[in-house]
Amino acid sequence: MNLPDLKQAQKRTKDEIKIIYDDYSVPEGMKNIGKDKKYFVKTYGCQMNVHDSENICAILEDLGYSETLTMEDADIIILNTCAIRENAHNKLFGFLGRVKHLKDEKPGIICGICGCMAQEESVVETLKEKYKWVDIVFGTHNIHKLPYILESAIKNDKQEIEVYSIEGNIYESIPVKRDSKYKAWVNIMLGCDKFCTYCIVPYTRGKQRSRLPKDIIREVEKLVSDGYLEVTLLGQNVNAYGKDLDIDYTMSNLLSDVARTGIKRIRFVTSHPWDFNDSMIDVIAKYDNIMPYIHLPLQSGSDRILKLMGRRYTKEEYINLFNKIKERIPNVSITTDIIVAFPGETDEDFQDTLDVVDTCKFDSAFTFIYSPRVGTPAAKMENPLTEEEKNNRLYKLNELVNKYANLKNQEYMDKVVPVLIEGPSEKEGFLMGYTDTMKLVNVECSEKYLGKIVNVKITSVKTWSMDAKIVD
Ligand code: 5AD
Ligand code: SF4
């Protein structure tokens, strides 16, 4: 395995990618290995990781294990890691400290590390040298092999590391244990070819590879017949869906076909402004079951920084796209991601970012301080800012983002909006759910509304949530 290498990674070709329909199985001796035993899976990171954990849980249940939400009760503990920012490392090694403690008391516990950090060579080296007691390490490309990896670790009674640094295939037969009975994640593409200069994802998740439309539609149709109301189509960069297929079929074709399955609510994340074309906007506007909610990462409002980031759009192009979406999709809400203190970001560059936030008035934004990732081009760039300056920028940006998030929510006061009631709320006597526009709402209602899309009237509003009551 090698360090992330941009030149090497950009040479990859789609010819190496295979779609495999029958590569998941459980070896004979493993079928009941987890009988009367419990598993605990901890997930960090994006929705893609959350969905991978749904696969991991299903595999562990195939082996006979049952789930526990208390780590101390578990016989097997799996940590699904995220590599996007450096603090992920601290989280992993902090967590391993807790597991070691448990293992000292109960040596039979099996500990596994997987996910994006397992794809990083430096992490694997550290696990090999300093954490020999970690039993299994596997990557993002071989989750389906978990029963075999576990089998070797148990048989040989030694650390089993199996991480592929390949471009990645598509495995269609991995089982899934969905967290919700109403909402489902559906991968439409894996990996990413955009190579934004700060980002580790194209290296940890491999080349962009789209699932075939027929496989996606079949999965959504099955969800509809199982009573699911909502799907979120997942990809690092969903607008580029289909570009790697040999057929003339794009994200707008896929959205129309998914809309025609009759599923009540369709969402999709994440969009890159680069591939967001007019036909996408038309399709979202046309179908009532495609939700008026778009997560459209800006990353920076400075043309100079956007160029250094390799984002391939300017501030003006972003704002034009933003305005076009707002004009054509009534009631749409738009959220974003923003990075501050990218190497070389000046006060003027940062002010440009604040200006775009003032122009777009996002419904909400995830904000981050730039974090260098080894092997990415940006990690080699000079970054003279002090920690204090970085924190000040984040603070200032957050103040502005919060102001607009609150103002946007205020517009909902006394309005009647549809909410899919999906689970318990932190507030007693309330259940929670999201509007079509992805606003978190606590609804005063009884359990009979669980799993239903109901019209509610907003009765009070805060920056990150609203309260509501049912209307007939
Ligand atoms: N440092 C800080 N933020 C990052 N992101 C991705 N890579 C980095 C990094 N190296 C942010 C981007 C992306 C979101 C998922 O995480 O804003 O959209
Ligand atoms: Fe990373 Fe997203 Fe850029 Fe891909 S498009 S490299 S996942 S930030």
Side-chain angles (χ1 to χ4, degrees), residues 195-208:
F195 293 104
C196 301
T197 58
Y198 51 81
C199 187
I200 194 80
V201 169
Y203 312 93
T204 58
R205 289 214 168 249
K207 201 187 146 42
Q208 171 178 320

Side-chain angles (χ1 to χ4, degrees), residues 224-259:
V224 174
S225 71
D226 288 346
Y228 279 82
L229 300 172
E230 181 174 310
V231 289
T232 302
L233 309 179
L234 289 181
Q236 300 296 345
N237 178 11
V238 290
N239 315 72
Y241 172 81
K243 285 189 157 187
D244 53 315
L245 294 173
D246 290 329
I247 48 175
D248 185 15
Y249 191 90
T250 63
M251 183 61 180
S252 27
N253 299 122
L254 181 68
L255 278 174
S256 316
D257 284 346
V258 173

Side-chain angles (χ1 to χ4, degrees), residues 282-466:
D282 292 341
V283 168
I284 301 165
K286 176 172 165 189
Y287 289 97
D288 287 345
N289 56 348
I290 304 181
M291 296 296 98
Y293 162 67
I294 291 164
H295 184 64
L296 193 68
L298 166 68
Q299 311 298 6
S300 167
S302 152
D303 286 345
R304 204 177 66 80
I305 296 296
L306 284 169
K307 200 158 187 196
L308 288 174
M309 287 176 161
R311 291 291 289 178
R312 307 208 194 182
Y313 52 82
T314 61
K315 159 185 168 172
E316 193 187 344
E317 283 164 346
Y318 183 95
I319 294 173
N320 287 344
L321 172 63
F322 181 96
N323 288 337
K324 203 167 7 168
I325 294 172
K326 282 265 168 189
E327 272 159 32
R328 296 227 215 131
I329 306 173
N331 187 37
V332 70
S333 76
I334 303 182
T335 58
T336 198
D337 290 344
I338 299 172
I339 298 174
V340 299
F342 184 82
E345 186 188 76
T346 61
D347 284 337
E348 292 75 50
D349 294 320
F350 178 58
Q351 188 55 49
D352 282 343
T353 297
L354 297 179
D355 289 348
V356 178
V357 174
D358 268 325
T359 306
C360 294
K361 304 177 176 55
F362 295 105
D363 284 81
S364 151
F366 297 100
T367 56
F368 312 99
I369 292 178
Y370 166 75
S371 168
R373 310 309 299 127
V374 175
T376 58
K380 297 186 195 85
M381 300 177 191
E382 290 278 313
N383 198 352
L385 289 173
T386 63
E387 289 310 304
E388 194 186 354
E389 285 166 322
K390 293 177 189 175
N391 285 322
N392 284 345
R393 284 189 188 171
L394 184 67
Y395 184 83
K396 219 165 160 184
L397 174 63
N398 282 344
E399 271 191 330
L400 198 61
V401 162
N402 295 354
K403 177 179 111 180
Y404 289 117
N406 188 284
L407 282 174
K408 285 279 159 184
N409 273 4
Q410 295 296 343
E411 291 171 13
Y412 282 70
M413 190 63 200
D414 293 327
K415 277 200 180 154
V416 174
V417 288
V419 169
L420 164 53
I421 311 279
E422 62 180 73
S425 154
E426 283 170 4
K427 290 178 74 138
E428 205 170 317
F430 286 71
L431 296 174
M432 58 74 70
Y434 289 90
T435 63
D436 51 350
T437 53
M438 202 64 183
K439 303 281 180 188
L440 173 62
V441 185
N442 294 306
V443 183
E444 193 172 5
C445 67
S446 70
E447 303 244 321
K448 75 172 189 198
Y449 289 101
L450 259 182
K452 301 211 161 53
I453 297 170
V454 284
N455 282 330
V456 304
K457 184 170 181 184
I458 305 297
T459 53
S460 84
V461 168
K462 286 181 272 186
T463 305
W464 305 120
S465 70
M466 310 178 192

Side-chain angles (χ1 to χ4, degrees), residues 12 21 180:
R12 53 206 197 185
Y21 288 92
S180 164

